[in-house]
Amino acid sequence: MTAFILRRLVQSVIVMLTVALVAFALFRFVGDPIASMVGQETTLAERAELRAALGLDDPFLVQFWNFVARAATGDFGISYRLQQPVMELILSRLPATLELALVSGILAFVFGVGFGVYTALRRGGWASSTIMTVSLIGVSLPTFLIGVLLIWVFAVELQWLPSFGRGETVYIGDWWRTGLLTESGRASLILPAITLGLYQMTLIMRLVRAEMLEVLRTDYIKFARARGLSNRAVNFGHALKNTLVPVITITGLQMGSIIAFSIITETVFQWPGVGALFINSVRFVDVPVMAAYLMLIALVFVVINLIVDLLYYAVDPRLRVDRANARH
């Protein structure tokens, strides 16, 4: 297990360096950040002085090395647009994105697994057919259109829920601001969480249904029924446990996707998260913020993949047996 974790950590470092290199190289061609930082009355000499102060005149490899060296200590530099440390900007908006992603992920997993198991066990019923038909909406419609439809129905027509913003927030500790402890904060979270999690829920539901149907046709399930075990014991004690092995992988990757692709949802609902910060940074060619955002997303995927690999050992005993045999 220790050697396995060490190999994964080495691979993670290589992935992070590759992402940093690609991001840093791409952002050199998105525009001139000096143009968005100064006015038209700025002289060429002042522009050249500012460029030298920011290190933009240095060779590419020197700039990249300085960026990686600082990033390893959590220092991503100063935002060109806001003139604030990038890490402070990200930390101030990270709680909003993480809370939205967490609630969306929980909704997607709980309802995805629940509906997937139900439609597999009751695949001939009208309720299962209705669920499978409605689930096509989550797969077919783009995220921004789902958000607009929810705003129109629940915020404009019914006026049950707010259409934008995060609502009232309170501090937990020095920097974590949460809306989960206030009524307006929880109400503001409902529509964005449904919008962000609906597509992921349909994917998980269809995967669980397909895996559950396949497992129910295996010989050991038939043997369990022949032994006289109850349907509950067979379906949930044996079939569901083996169904969850591939679901863990998809769910883990989808959690990373929820965080990475929350940009659209945050834009539609004006949610003050990291995704909205990235969109504004692209508009103003704020390279330090853009690079830090991509590094953050890469780190999220790397950590989730490591957790998923470790969960495999807890769920699937065959992996532990295979590794033990390999050692002998």
Side-chain angles (χ1 to χ4, degrees):
M1 177 65 73
T2 303
F4 171 77
I5 295 177
L6 290 177
R7 284 197 301 271
R8 284 292 185 267
L9 291 176
V10 172
Q11 294 173 0
S12 301
V13 172
I14 296 175
V15 170
M16 295 297 296
L17 289 175
T18 304
V19 170
L21 178 61
V22 172
F24 203 80
L26 288 177
F27 291 151
R28 287 173 59 89
F29 303 100
V30 298
D32 185 9
I34 301 297
S36 61
M37 297 174 62
V38 299
Q40 295 181 354
E41 68 281 358
T42 307
T43 64
L44 293 177
E46 291 173 339
R47 290 172 179 262
E49 183 180 354
L50 179 58
R51 186 181 300 276
L54 295 175
L56 299 178
D57 288 336
D58 296 333
F60 172 78
L61 293 179
V62 174
Q63 293 185 45
F64 177 68
W65 171 255
N66 292 334
F67 171 75
V68 172
R70 291 195 303 266
T73 63
D75 180 13
F76 291 94
I78 304 295
S79 169
Y80 294 161
R81 180 173 64 96
L82 301 175
Q83 295 299 307
Q84 297 180 23
V86 174
M87 183 56 68
E88 290 184 6
L89 291 174
I90 291 179
L91 290 180
S92 66
R93 292 171 173 260
L94 189 60
T97 297
L98 290 181
E99 286 184 1
L100 176 61
L102 179 62
V103 174
S104 302
I106 292 175
L107 291 176
F109 181 77
V110 172
F111 285 99
V113 172
F115 286 146
V117 172
Y118 180 82
T119 54
L121 299 179
R122 301 286 188 271
R123 55 185 178 277
W126 64 269
S128 297
S129 301
T130 302
I131 292 174
M132 294 300 297
T133 302
V134 173
S135 69
L136 292 176
I137 298 176
V139 176
S140 304
L141 293 181
T143 301
F144 75 89
L145 184 56
I146 294 175
V148 171
L149 290 175
L150 291 178
I151 290 175
W152 176 60
V153 174
F154 294 100
V156 178
E157 296 294 334
L158 300 177
Q159 297 184 358
W160 288 353
L161 298 169
S163 61
F164 67 93
R166 198 183 175 194
E168 183 182 359
T169 59
V170 295
Y171 275 97
I172 299 178
D174 296 331
W175 63 278
W176 190 279
R177 292 179 58 187
T178 180
L180 298 177
L181 301 180
T182 64
E183 183 177 354
S184 63
R186 291 190 293 268
S188 300
L189 184 61
I190 294 176
L191 292 184
I194 294 175
T195 302
L196 187 58
L198 185 60
Y199 178 75
Q200 319 299 335
M201 185 202 72
T202 55
L203 290 182
I204 294 174
M205 183 193 75
R206 290 176 174 274
L207 176 63
V208 170
R209 182 178 185 273
E211 291 293 332
M212 191 80 171
L213 291 175
E214 183 177 351
V215 170
L216 289 175
R217 289 192 289 264
T218 56
D219 292 336
Y220 71 89
I221 294 296
K222 298 177 181 179
F223 179 72
R225 296 187 188 280
R227 290 177 55 196
L229 296 180
S230 63
N231 287 333
R232 179 182 296 271
V234 172
N235 294 333
F236 299 99
H238 296 278
L240 181 58
K241 185 175 181 181
N242 288 278
T243 299
L244 290 179
V245 174
V247 173
I248 288 177
T249 302
I250 298 299
T251 303
L253 295 177
Q254 291 307 312
M255 276 301 299
S257 300
I258 285 176
I259 297 176
F261 301 118
S262 63
I263 296 176
I264 299 175
T265 303
E266 291 182 4
T267 302
V268 171
F269 291 93
Q270 299 181 32
W271 189 263
V274 181
L277 177 65
F278 177 75
I279 291 296
N280 292 328
S281 301
V282 172
R283 185 181 308 167
F284 292 96
V285 199
D286 200 343
V287 175
V289 177
M290 291 189 290
Y293 174 81
L294 290 186
M295 291 286 289
L296 173 65
I297 297 303
L299 180 62
V300 168
F301 273 100
V302 165
V303 172
I304 288 177
N305 281 331
L306 179 59
I307 295 175
V308 167
D309 289 338
L310 295 178
L311 286 177
Y312 268 170
Y313 283 83
V315 175
D316 193 350
R318 292 172 298 181
L319 297 178
R320 298 193 296 269
V321 173
D322 291 342
R323 187 162 294 275
N325 293 334
R327 287 197 300 265
H328 296 292

